[in-house]
Amino acid sequence: MGEKQKRKSIPVLPWMRSPVDVSLFEECPLEILPLLDPRLKVALQKTGIASIFPVQLAVWLEVIGPGSFERDLCINSPTGSGKTLAYALPIVQMLSSRAVKCLRALVVLPTRDLALQVKEVFTAIAPAVGLSVGLAVGQSSIADEISGLIKRPKFEAGICYDPEDFSVPLQSSVDILVATPGRLMDHINFTKGFTLQHLRYLVIDETDRLLRESYQSWLPTVLQLTRADDDNIIFPSYTSLPCSAGSLKTIRRFGVERGFKGKPYPRLAKMVLSATLTQDPSKLSQLDLHHPLFLTTGKRRYKLPEKLESYMMICESKLKPLYLVSLLQSLGGEKCIVFTSSVESTHRLCTLLNFFDDLQLNIKEYSGLQRQSLRSKTLNAFRGGEIQVLVSSDAMTRGMDVEGVRNVINYDMPAFIKTYIHRAGRTARAGQSGRCFTLLSKDEVRRFKKLLQKADKDSCPVHSLPSSSIELLHPTYVSALEKLKEKVESETSIKSTVMSSRVGKRKETNSNEKVGI
């Protein structure tokens, strides 16, 4: 059975057959948004937000409004439609109603960069209602994270305490945690005082990617730690409070009110989101969803941003860099992201482009091979306009929001429609217009058109460049290729030397250990 037949044979779950169509909603001014906390309204206005988008309104009504979050939400909405604020705003409002300090909301994302971006959204509104937001991501000091997440008890002066004695409970310093799966598991396994036992809300952003990779089995671990079983719920004596007479409907544990639909303990309410949400029952079953409600845009599974213009550029494979440079010149310095198929291609293409003389564009690379600090610095410079062109691997395709990106260029054709949607979604965000150019050889055109048809796009015009602009660049291209060759040889030599040095040190260490040094 072919791959296409396999996809067709996967059944669609019943609850996904009758979705809520988000496209039927309209933007809603903050002044008439029902039940919005006035403090959050002010915080949103300070960030320049005067109204909320359709997907944000749909989620708000299901969580805060008539829906009352009685069902878990699965949200499939195009990139740039405002999914982050769609869950951040109602969660912050719900948590603000209880003046307790413990970890009650967890947002899990697949990458560090996306987690940093989402944390900024929460930080813009949460302090307005007295809530604090934590961050747990890789490539950062876990000791610093622990000090920010866990509050040590204050001891009386003059009395000695055993630092390893944790009979006095440690307290969470945050109400909301934004985390990547690996670092989340580090805290679950090794951070004393870190607990998910009070968790009320779980958000899984970029769900399809997080379900595709296990990340140390983070999802079953979180669900197990938050599952409300009578057998594993412990009520320490120092937190017990009297219940209402003859009733267990409301129990307070660590100051958190428990109770949902007449049960002693509330369910863990979940929101899962993606621009390309999977429909595979075997994957969705991992989420343990409670009477899920499916919110999507239109009838098509894959949806491109409404104001996106897609173009093909047909060129010879050997001359692709020339066409790319000519295109960049024609865009007049507009903010642009160029996507390649791998981190290696990203590095080489960026190096090559910077060897073109008199290009008058600041071009930098952005890939998973770089350190977090360097990526953050590059991204901030790109946001600020110091960098006009960012050459990126798919590390940036998921959810990253950079204001003012007018153009996206697929230097390498994406293999899947999901990849195209996530790449193209870096532009035409929040109701703005944008363009996506894809460089193709003649042999790739037919396959590319079939790819777009999956997103209900039956035609894609060809964008042409003057042949004279290509010819004028040819001498510079030859020179740039020679410089690239020298650069690659130099980098290969350095890597080889470093590897040899590491191997030598390991051998020396092993030898010393054998003789007892």
Side-chain angles (χ1 to χ4, degrees):
M1 185 182 291
E3 186 63 30
K4 188 174 182 181
Q5 289 176 308
K6 284 182 180 178
R7 287 198 298 269
K8 284 185 176 180
S9 66
I10 295 176
V12 177
L13 291 166
W15 57 267
M16 299 190 90
R17 295 174 189 162
S18 302
V20 173
D21 189 348
V22 173
S23 63
L24 300 178
F25 292 77
E26 296 181 355
E27 282 194 36
C28 178
L30 295 180
E31 283 74 13
I32 61 173
L33 185 62
L35 305 175
L36 177 64
D37 189 307
R39 296 170 294 175
L40 290 177
K41 176 185 172 183
V42 172
L44 289 169
Q45 290 173 333
K46 286 182 179 179
T47 65
I49 297 174
S51 60
I52 63 173
F53 294 144
V55 68
Q56 296 165 351
L57 177 59
V59 174
W60 179 267
L61 295 177
E62 288 298 332
V63 176
I64 302 296
S68 300
F69 217 161
E70 294 181 359
R71 306 171 66 179
D72 289 337
L73 302 184
C74 293
I75 303 159
N76 187 84
S77 186
T79 56
S81 59
K83 290 189 291 295
T84 303
L85 191 62
Y87 60 76
L89 184 59
I91 284 177
V92 168
Q93 170 130 335
M94 287 186 294
L95 294 183
S96 67
S97 64
R98 298 295 177 193
V100 294
K101 181 63 66 176
C102 54
L103 179 54
R104 292 174 287 163
L106 172 65
V107 182
V108 184
L109 303 114
T111 66
R112 295 178 293 272
D113 303 284
L114 191 50
L116 287 165
Q117 180 179 292
V118 169
K119 200 248 184 184
E120 289 178 3
V121 174
F122 273 100
T123 302
I125 58 175
V129 291
L131 300 176
S132 56
V133 187
L135 183 70
V137 295
Q139 288 193 3
S140 59
S141 168
I142 193 167
D144 290 343
E145 280 186 2
I146 292 172
S147 63
L149 296 178
I150 305 299
K151 185 184 296 183
R152 301 282 175 180
K154 293 182 179 180
F155 299 119
E156 296 180 15
I159 301 178
C160 295
Y161 293 91
D162 182 356
E164 296 300 319
D165 180 10
F166 289 94
S167 57
V168 178
L170 301 176
Q171 186 180 2
S172 174
S173 296
V174 300
D175 304 280
I176 303 161
L177 178 64
V178 180
T180 52
R183 182 51 65 89
L184 173 64
M185 289 299 293
D186 289 341
H187 287 296
I188 288 173
N189 291 325
F190 306 113
T191 299
K192 292 181 179 179
F194 183 84
T195 177
L196 300 179
Q197 63 182 327
H198 311 119
L199 201 66
R200 295 291 308 276
Y201 308 106
L202 173 63
V203 177
I204 304 174
D205 204 340
E206 300 297 344
T207 306
D208 48 333
R209 180 170 174 181
L210 285 169
L211 292 180
R212 191 168 61 244
E213 303 176 34
S214 63
Y215 296 105
Q216 305 175 45
S217 299
W218 76 272
L219 181 56
T221 301
V222 169
L223 295 180
Q224 180 62 39
L225 290 174
T226 55
R227 192 162 285 131
D229 291 332
D230 293 338
D231 294 337
N232 57 30
I233 297 290
I234 301 174
F235 295 90
S237 57
Y238 54 80
T239 61
S240 298
L241 292 174
C243 304
S244 57
S247 172
L248 282 176
K249 288 186 178 180
T250 301
I251 295 179
R252 291 183 178 272
R253 182 172 55 142
F254 296 102
V256 180
E257 184 176 355
R258 319 297 286 182
F260 179 77
K261 286 190 170 297
K263 297 180 180 179
Y265 316 109
R267 68 181 182 90
L268 175 68
K270 308 183 192 79
M271 270 193 266
V272 300
L273 309 95
S274 179
T276 52
L277 188 66
T278 181
Q279 293 183 356
D280 188 339
S282 64
K283 291 181 179 178
L284 291 171
S285 65
Q286 300 173 44
L287 299 167
D288 192 23
L289 298 172
H290 173 81
H291 298 296
L293 180 65
F294 186 34
L295 288 78
T296 189
T297 305
K299 296 180 180 179
R300 301 287 300 193
R301 179 183 177 189
Y302 300 117
K303 186 82 172 177
L304 291 166
E306 185 178 350
K307 295 186 179 180
L308 176 74
E309 300 173 8
S310 295
Y311 297 97
M312 296 186 295
M313 285 186 59
I314 303 169
C315 56
E316 296 179 40
S317 297
K318 293 182 179 179
L319 300 180
K320 275 175 70 174
L322 283 176
Y323 281 81
L324 174 60
V325 170
S326 180
L327 176 60
L328 291 174
Q329 289 178 327
S330 71
L331 296 177
E334 291 180 341
K335 199 175 288 185
C336 177
I337 302 176
V338 180
F339 283 108
T340 71
S341 58
S342 66
V343 290
E344 292 80 8
S345 297
T346 294
H347 178 64
R348 293 196 180 191
L349 179 60
C350 185
T351 304
L352 177 65
L353 292 176
N354 280 297
F355 284 142
F356 274 79
D357 298 328
D358 302 323
L359 200 51
Q360 295 183 344
L361 291 171
N362 191 355
I363 303 172
K364 296 292 183 182
E365 70 176 284
Y366 182 97
S367 77
L369 287 180
Q370 297 173 314
R371 291 184 178 180
Q372 177 64 51
S373 57
L374 177 57
R375 288 216 306 273
S376 297
K377 182 179 178 181
T378 301
L379 197 57
N380 288 334
F382 186 53
R383 285 192 169 114
E386 301 169 35
I387 296 171
Q388 292 81 45
V389 179
L390 209 61
V391 183
S392 177
S393 64
D394 284 327
M396 198 175 180
T397 57
R398 296 269 179 170
M400 293 301 292
D401 187 10
V402 178
E403 187 177 349
V405 175
R406 183 77 175 84
N407 308 284
V408 166
I409 301 174
N410 290 314
Y411 182 78
D412 295 317
M413 188 188 92
F416 307 102
I417 186 60
K418 284 186 177 184
T419 307
Y420 184 84
I421 287 172
H422 285 290
R423 287 182 181 182
R426 298 317 99 212
T427 187
R429 299 177 69 82
Q432 301 297 311
S433 61
R435 296 174 293 188
C436 181
F437 302 88
T438 303
L439 276 60
L440 303 165
S441 66
K442 290 182 180 179
D443 296 337
E444 293 176 319
V445 172
R446 185 178 177 184
R447 186 156 51 95
F448 179 67
K449 288 182 177 180
K450 285 187 175 181
L451 193 77
L452 291 185
Q453 286 175 357
K454 296 179 180 179
D456 204 20
K457 193 165 186 64
D458 296 323
S459 63
C460 183
V462 175
H463 182 81
S464 300
L465 296 168
S467 57
S468 58
S469 68
I470 307 294
E471 293 170 1
L472 285 172
L473 289 168
H474 205 276
T476 308
Y477 178 44
V478 173
S479 173
L481 280 176
E482 285 298 318
K483 292 176 182 177
L484 176 64
K485 183 180 178 181
E486 294 174 5
K487 179 75 171 178
V488 170
E489 289 176 351
S490 173
E491 289 177 346
T492 303
S493 176
I494 291 172
K495 287 181 181 178
S496 177
T497 301
V498 171
M499 290 299 294
S500 298
S501 174
R502 288 176 178 174
V503 171
K505 286 181 179 179
R506 282 200 296 267
K507 287 182 177 179
E508 182 180 350
T509 300
N510 292 337
S511 176
N512 290 340
E513 287 175 351
K514 288 179 181 179
V515 296
I517 295 177

